[in-house]
Every structure is written in C-alpha cells, then in structure tokens.
Amino acid sequence: MNKKCRALFCFILGLSSVSFAGLLKTGLPLEQLLETPNPNWDKGLENLYNGKIKWSQMPEEVNNLAKNKKITSSDDFPLLGEVNFINDGEKETGEGGYVEPGPSIQWIQFDLEKQSKIYAIILWYYHGSERAYHDVIAQISNDPEFKKGVTTVFNNDYDNSSKLGKGQDKVYKETFQGWPIAVSGKEGQNVRLYSNGSISGEMNHYVEVEVFGR
C-alpha cells in the first residue's frame, strides 16, 4: 500500500459520520469494496464532494422521519432481504444488509404518518462494488398512490426509460457515504424512490434511506 493509499485508508477508518454543507450530520458504515477497483470506471459520474449539491437553509432540529416508519414496495416479495431493512439504521452493504426487489424499474415508499417538511433525503444503494444505478428518482406526495400532487426532487433518468419523464440530475457513483438530495422544505407525507437496475445488472439493491425533516 503506497503512502497515498495509506492516508486514504486511515481517513476512512477514522470517519464514522459526515456533515453535508455543515447542515446535516449522519452516521456512516465502513467502506467495503468487495471487488477489485477499476480506476477508470467512474469517469464522468457525479462525485459526492464536487460542491454541486445546492443546499438551502435547514432548521437546526431535523430528525430522520423515515426511521421505523412503514415501507411498501412495488415488489411484495423481494428476492433477497425484507423492506424493513431499508430504515433499520444499518448501512453496511454485506450479505444480509440489503433488499433486492425484482429487475428493471422498481420503487420503495415511506409513509411518514403525517404531512412533514422535508429538507434532505440520503440514499444508500448497494455500495460493495463500484457501480451506479439507473433512473434514480425521488418523489414526495400526500397521495399514497402518487397520482396527484407529486413533487419530483431528484431525477437522473436522462432518456425517460422509466416513463416518468426525463431528469436533469447527474448519474452518480455509489459509495459508503450514500447520496444526499437537498429538498428545501418540500411538504408531503409519502416519499417514493425509484431505480432501474445498475451498470452491474438489471437488479435493484436498497441498503438504507434517511429522510430528514420535521
């Protein structure tokens, strides 16, 4: 291991939480890359710390509203895991740490039990290998069917393959640090998250989701 790698390794070991723009702090899992890294695989993908995420003012006291709330899914019988893995606070990506719904476009949905002001959503898909998921879309609505009053707060479906409309957000690479979405106080009771497989295959893999608001 060269000096640069050792420094990075020590940095990662010492990192148990991260603060986004000084506004929001969340715990982190250990980094677990279970496959040989490819130094060229992620060229052109969005990076977590490139400074492009636009955060607005956030109240000092926000909580993870998704924790232990009811979750539903487009797939009632995931191939691996259970949907309540997604808000149990465990962010490790190893075996037994994620839910694998069926292939192609799938969604999971949180019922926050009441209309809430939402300021951030943080996603952890499978981060045990270098990959990016297709058509990551985050929506908020008071309608549990998401047929009316739907606000899309993130969409990187650049070719409308999900049939939910083209998005302008960038495709990003999965890491143990998750992916934060700034939501700016949008109001709603339900949060729905889509994905459509990844560069590694047609399956979807959800590890953990946090929804910060009040």
Side-chain angles (χ1 to χ4, degrees):
M1 184 182 294
N2 62 35
K3 184 177 181 181
K4 184 177 180 181
C5 290
R6 283 199 302 272
L8 177 60
F9 186 65
C10 292
F11 170 74
I12 290 170
L13 284 181
L15 191 65
S16 59
S17 65
V18 64
S19 177
F20 296 110
L23 299 171
L24 178 66
K25 188 175 183 179
T26 187
L28 294 176
L30 290 175
E31 184 177 28
Q32 287 183 301
L33 278 180
L34 305 177
E35 299 176 8
T36 303
N38 178 347
N40 297 315
W41 82 275
D42 60 347
K43 286 185 176 178
L45 294 184
E46 200 75 15
N47 185 283
L48 181 57
Y49 292 110
N50 63 6
K52 293 182 179 179
I53 297 174
K54 296 179 180 178
W55 294 95
S56 61
Q57 286 190 337
M58 186 182 303
E60 290 186 0
E61 294 187 4
V62 293
N63 297 306
N64 177 14
L65 305 177
K67 187 171 179 60
N68 297 324
K69 293 296 195 312
K70 180 182 178 182
I71 307 175
T72 52
S73 170
S74 53
D75 186 349
D76 293 331
F77 302 100
L79 297 176
L80 294 174
E82 301 175 5
V83 292
N84 58 12
F85 288 2
I86 306 171
N87 63 347
D88 63 359
E90 297 294 332
K91 301 168 184 173
E92 305 296 338
T93 198
E95 185 176 351
Y98 59 89
V99 181
E100 184 180 82
S104 303
I105 187 77
Q106 298 286 348
W107 54 259
I108 61 163
Q109 182 174 321
F110 294 88
D111 180 353
L112 304 181
E113 299 181 349
K114 65 179 182 179
Q115 181 170 311
S116 305
K117 281 192 172 182
I118 299 169
Y119 292 89
I121 302 170
I122 308 180
L123 314 176
W124 282 264
Y125 289 94
Y126 183 84
H127 51 85
S129 64
E130 294 173 324
R131 64 179 63 187
Y133 283 84
H134 302 302
D135 305 344
V136 176
I137 299 171
Q139 295 180 329
I140 298 170
S141 178
N142 281 322
D143 177 12
E145 301 296 325
F146 278 76
K147 294 181 178 178
K148 58 184 180 180
V150 177
T151 301
T152 299
V153 296
F154 187 89
N155 183 348
N156 66 11
D157 179 5
Y158 59 87
D159 60 359
N160 197 28
S161 53
S162 67
K163 309 301 182 186
L164 295 169
K166 286 185 178 180
Q168 300 298 317
D169 293 297
K170 302 295 185 182
V171 177
Y172 64 89
K173 60 181 180 180
E174 295 297 328
T175 75
F176 71 108
Q177 296 167 311
W179 185 258
I181 299 171
V183 181
S184 305
K186 301 295 183 185
E187 295 190 36
Q189 179 173 333
N190 305 286
V191 176
R192 182 178 284 192
L193 303 164
Y194 292 86
S195 60
N196 191 5
S198 75
I199 62 172
S200 297
E202 61 181 356
M203 305 305 290
N204 301 277
H205 313 90
Y206 295 86
V207 174
E208 186 75 9
V209 175
E210 294 178 334
V211 178
F212 286 92
R214 62 180 186 178

